[in-house]
Amino acid sequence: MKKIITLLAVIGMFGLQGCTGPEGPPGVPGPESEVFELKNVNFVNDPLDSPDKGYFIYQKLVPKILDSDQILIYRLAGTIDSSTPIWQSIPRTLYLAQGELDYDFDFSKEDFIIYARGTYNLALTPQFLNNQTFRIVIIPGYFSKTIDKNNYQAVAKALNINENQIHNIDF
């Protein structure tokens, strides 16, 4: 008798696993992300306003982002051909004949600042301060741990970002 009860219990377990109920509510939507491009911008140096900043680019975020969101910034370092840009993640240190040049940034939910600082007088290398192009990627905080943030192409692929979705920022 115990064997029959055990057999019926096992059959019952398998039978109940195949049952389905009504469809539940829709899940959380996928990550919302945005990409902005700053084209041909120049770093400014205003030692009277902010002597500790050195050269910088300041931009407000409109609309503000969520506290949990994260910003990634990439600098256009060159191109392989007309359709293949080379994006370098920031922070980045360039080792030049004149010394070291560091690009860095910080952000809040309201704005971001891109910095250029160096171990030499940066005015000697204006090609690294003028006519620069940056991509700013805003990603949800919960999604930021699952992608290679150093690789712009990996970020764009993971977030399904197409070139036609990139917003230009007038500077």
Side-chain angles (χ1 to χ4, degrees):
M1 187 63 147
K2 285 184 180 180
K3 289 183 181 182
I4 293 175
I5 293 174
T6 305
L7 180 63
L8 289 175
V10 170
I11 292 172
M13 283 190 331
F14 285 115
L16 291 176
Q17 284 181 346
C19 296
T20 58
E23 188 173 319
V28 176
E32 291 293 323
S33 59
E34 289 187 90
V35 180
F36 299 92
E37 187 165 280
L38 293 171
K39 282 188 172 185
N40 302 318
V41 295
N42 298 330
F43 282 88
V44 295
N45 185 8
D46 190 351
L48 298 176
D49 182 35
S50 301
D52 62 323
K53 289 184 182 171
Y55 288 88
F56 63 95
I57 297 168
Y58 171 81
Q59 183 69 42
K60 281 197 169 285
L61 291 168
V62 179
K64 296 176 185 178
I65 63 174
L66 299 175
D67 286 333
S68 61
D69 287 348
Q70 199 172 46
I71 289 182
L72 306 175
I73 298 182
Y74 302 88
R75 177 181 162 266
L76 181 62
T79 57
I80 294 173
D81 56 42
S82 63
S83 63
T84 311
I86 300 169
W87 295 104
Q88 289 182 333
S89 65
I90 294 179
R92 169 75 59 181
T93 299
L94 303 179
Y95 300 96
L96 309 171
Q98 297 83 355
E100 292 180 13
L101 167 61
D102 295 310
Y103 292 108
D104 203 351
F105 74 97
D106 63 32
F107 72 94
S108 71
K109 67 181 183 178
E110 299 177 4
D111 58 19
F112 64 88
I113 301 174
I114 304 172
Y115 300 98
R117 297 183 179 119
T119 60
Y120 66 97
N121 179 357
L122 297 184
L124 298 173
T125 54
Q127 68 271 28
F128 293 102
L129 300 174
N130 299 327
N131 299 316
Q132 298 295 301
T133 298
F134 296 94
R135 289 242 171 122
I136 294 85
V137 182
I138 301 171
I139 59 175
Y142 66 88
F143 192 70
S144 67
K145 296 177 183 173
T146 62
I147 55 178
D148 178 6
K149 295 178 269 188
N150 292 319
N151 183 329
Y152 174 77
Q153 283 77 20
V155 170
K157 183 177 179 182
L159 297 171
N160 294 320
I161 297 169
N162 297 316
E163 287 295 310
N164 61 354
Q165 294 174 300
I166 297 169
H167 309 284
N168 289 322
I169 298 176
D170 294 325
F171 205 80

